[in-house]
Short mmCIF file of all heavy atoms in Angstrom, two decimals:
data_model
loop_
_atom_site.label_atom_id
_atom_site.label_comp_id
_atom_site.label_asym_id
_atom_site.label_seq_id
_atom_site.Cartn_x
_atom_site.Cartn_y
_atom_site.Cartn_z
N TYR P 13 -20.81 -76.33 -80.29
CA TYR P 13 -20.05 -77.38 -79.58
C TYR P 13 -19.94 -78.59 -80.47
O TYR P 13 -20.86 -78.94 -81.24
CB TYR P 13 -20.78 -77.78 -78.32
CG TYR P 13 -20.54 -76.80 -77.19
CD1 TYR P 13 -21.57 -75.96 -76.75
CD2 TYR P 13 -19.33 -76.74 -76.56
CE1 TYR P 13 -21.34 -75.07 -75.74
CE2 TYR P 13 -19.08 -75.84 -75.54
CZ TYR P 13 -20.11 -75.01 -75.13
OH TYR P 13 -19.88 -74.15 -74.14
N PRO P 14 -18.78 -79.27 -80.42
CA PRO P 14 -18.59 -80.50 -81.25
C PRO P 14 -19.71 -81.50 -80.94
O PRO P 14 -20.08 -81.70 -79.78
CB PRO P 14 -17.23 -81.06 -80.81
CG PRO P 14 -16.59 -79.98 -79.99
CD PRO P 14 -17.62 -79.00 -79.58
N THR P 16 -22.83 -81.17 -81.80
CA THR P 16 -24.15 -80.56 -81.76
C THR P 16 -24.37 -79.81 -83.05
O THR P 16 -23.44 -79.40 -83.73
CB THR P 16 -24.33 -79.58 -80.58
OG1 THR P 16 -23.34 -78.57 -80.68
CG2 THR P 16 -24.14 -80.29 -79.26
N ALA P 20 -24.58 -72.92 -79.67
CA ALA P 20 -24.87 -72.54 -78.30
C ALA P 20 -24.93 -71.02 -78.17
O ALA P 20 -25.66 -70.47 -77.33
CB ALA P 20 -23.86 -73.10 -77.32
N VAL P 21 -24.11 -70.34 -78.99
CA VAL P 21 -24.19 -68.90 -79.13
C VAL P 21 -24.22 -68.62 -80.63
O VAL P 21 -23.38 -69.12 -81.38
CB VAL P 21 -22.96 -68.19 -78.49
CG1 VAL P 21 -22.96 -66.71 -78.87
CG2 VAL P 21 -23.01 -68.36 -76.99
N GLY P 38 -30.39 -64.44 -69.09
CA GLY P 38 -31.20 -65.35 -69.90
C GLY P 38 -31.49 -66.58 -69.12
O GLY P 38 -30.86 -66.80 -68.09
N PRO P 39 -32.43 -67.39 -69.58
CA PRO P 39 -32.74 -68.60 -68.82
C PRO P 39 -31.57 -69.60 -68.87
O PRO P 39 -30.64 -69.41 -69.67
CB PRO P 39 -33.97 -69.18 -69.54
CG PRO P 39 -34.07 -68.47 -70.85
CD PRO P 39 -33.32 -67.20 -70.77
N SER P 40 -31.64 -70.63 -68.06
CA SER P 40 -30.59 -71.62 -68.02
C SER P 40 -30.44 -72.29 -69.40
O SER P 40 -31.44 -72.62 -70.02
CB SER P 40 -30.93 -72.65 -66.97
OG SER P 40 -30.05 -73.72 -67.04
N GLY P 41 -29.23 -72.41 -69.88
CA GLY P 41 -28.95 -73.05 -71.15
C GLY P 41 -29.07 -72.09 -72.33
O GLY P 41 -29.01 -72.52 -73.49
N SER P 42 -29.18 -70.80 -72.07
CA SER P 42 -29.36 -69.85 -73.17
C SER P 42 -28.03 -69.43 -73.78
O SER P 42 -28.01 -68.72 -74.78
CB SER P 42 -30.10 -68.60 -72.68
OG SER P 42 -29.40 -68.02 -71.60
N GLY P 43 -26.93 -69.89 -73.22
CA GLY P 43 -25.62 -69.61 -73.84
C GLY P 43 -24.84 -68.49 -73.19
O GLY P 43 -23.83 -68.02 -73.73
N LYS P 44 -25.24 -68.06 -71.98
CA LYS P 44 -24.54 -67.00 -71.28
C LYS P 44 -23.12 -67.36 -70.95
O LYS P 44 -22.18 -66.64 -71.29
CB LYS P 44 -25.26 -66.62 -69.99
CG LYS P 44 -26.75 -66.42 -70.13
CD LYS P 44 -27.40 -66.15 -68.78
CE LYS P 44 -27.33 -67.31 -67.80
NZ LYS P 44 -28.26 -68.40 -68.10
N SER P 45 -22.95 -68.53 -70.30
CA SER P 45 -21.60 -68.95 -69.93
C SER P 45 -20.74 -69.16 -71.16
O SER P 45 -19.56 -68.80 -71.18
CB SER P 45 -21.66 -70.26 -69.12
OG SER P 45 -22.34 -70.06 -67.93
N THR P 46 -21.36 -69.76 -72.18
CA THR P 46 -20.57 -69.97 -73.41
C THR P 46 -20.08 -68.65 -73.99
O THR P 46 -18.89 -68.54 -74.35
CB THR P 46 -21.46 -70.72 -74.42
OG1 THR P 46 -21.98 -71.90 -73.82
CG2 THR P 46 -20.65 -71.08 -75.67
N ALA P 47 -20.96 -67.66 -74.03
CA ALA P 47 -20.54 -66.33 -74.56
C ALA P 47 -19.40 -65.74 -73.75
O ALA P 47 -18.43 -65.23 -74.31
CB ALA P 47 -21.74 -65.39 -74.56
N GLU P 55 -13.28 -71.12 -74.69
CA GLU P 55 -14.15 -71.78 -75.63
C GLU P 55 -13.81 -71.27 -77.03
O GLU P 55 -13.67 -70.06 -77.20
CB GLU P 55 -15.61 -71.48 -75.30
CG GLU P 55 -16.59 -72.59 -75.44
CD GLU P 55 -16.34 -73.78 -74.52
OE1 GLU P 55 -16.68 -73.68 -73.32
OE2 GLU P 55 -15.82 -74.77 -74.99
N ASP P 160 -19.02 -65.17 -63.96
CA ASP P 160 -20.07 -66.14 -64.31
C ASP P 160 -20.86 -66.49 -63.08
O ASP P 160 -20.44 -67.31 -62.26
CB ASP P 160 -19.43 -67.40 -64.92
CG ASP P 160 -20.50 -68.28 -65.58
OD1 ASP P 160 -21.69 -68.00 -65.39
OD2 ASP P 160 -20.12 -69.24 -66.25
N GLU P 161 -21.98 -65.90 -62.92
CA GLU P 161 -22.90 -66.11 -61.78
C GLU P 161 -22.15 -66.10 -60.45
O GLU P 161 -22.19 -67.06 -59.70
CB GLU P 161 -23.65 -67.42 -61.93
CG GLU P 161 -24.23 -67.59 -63.34
CD GLU P 161 -25.65 -68.16 -63.32
OE1 GLU P 161 -26.22 -68.30 -62.24
OE2 GLU P 161 -26.13 -68.47 -64.42
N VAL P 192 -22.43 -62.42 -65.90
CA VAL P 192 -23.43 -63.38 -66.33
C VAL P 192 -24.35 -63.72 -65.13
O VAL P 192 -23.88 -63.95 -64.00
CB VAL P 192 -22.80 -64.67 -66.85
CG1 VAL P 192 -23.81 -65.78 -66.91
CG2 VAL P 192 -22.23 -64.44 -68.22
N LEU P 209 -30.30 -62.96 -73.57
CA LEU P 209 -30.06 -64.07 -74.50
C LEU P 209 -31.18 -65.10 -74.37
O LEU P 209 -31.71 -65.34 -73.29
CB LEU P 209 -28.73 -64.78 -74.16
CG LEU P 209 -27.43 -64.12 -74.58
CD1 LEU P 209 -26.26 -64.95 -74.05
CD2 LEU P 209 -27.36 -64.03 -76.10
N1 ADP D 1 -19.16 -78.64 -73.35
C1 ADP D 1 -20.36 -78.62 -73.97
N2 ADP D 1 -20.62 -79.49 -74.95
C2 ADP D 1 -21.82 -79.51 -75.60
N3 ADP D 1 -22.80 -78.67 -75.33
C3 ADP D 1 -22.61 -77.73 -74.35
C4 ADP D 1 -21.39 -77.68 -73.61
N4 ADP D 1 -21.48 -76.68 -72.72
C5 ADP D 1 -22.71 -76.16 -72.87
N5 ADP D 1 -23.39 -76.77 -73.86
C6 ADP D 1 -24.73 -76.43 -74.33
O1 ADP D 1 -24.73 -75.12 -74.79
C7 ADP D 1 -25.91 -74.42 -74.41
C8 ADP D 1 -25.55 -73.17 -73.62
O2 ADP D 1 -24.93 -73.53 -72.39
P1 ADP D 1 -24.41 -72.49 -71.35
O3 ADP D 1 -23.63 -71.42 -72.06
O4 ADP D 1 -23.72 -73.21 -70.28
O5 ADP D 1 -25.79 -71.88 -70.85
P2 ADP D 1 -26.06 -70.91 -69.60
O6 ADP D 1 -24.78 -70.51 -69.01
O7 ADP D 1 -26.83 -69.77 -70.22
O8 ADP D 1 -26.93 -71.69 -68.67
C9 ADP D 1 -26.73 -75.41 -73.60
O9 ADP D 1 -27.72 -75.95 -74.41
C10 ADP D 1 -25.75 -76.46 -73.21
O10 ADP D 1 -26.37 -77.72 -73.13
#
Side-chain angles (χ1 to χ4, degrees):
Chain P
Y13 281 108
T16 59
V21 169
S40 171
S42 57
K44 311 177 294 286
S45 297
T46 306
E55 217 65 77
D160 192 351
E161 313 222 9
V192 164
L209 283 176

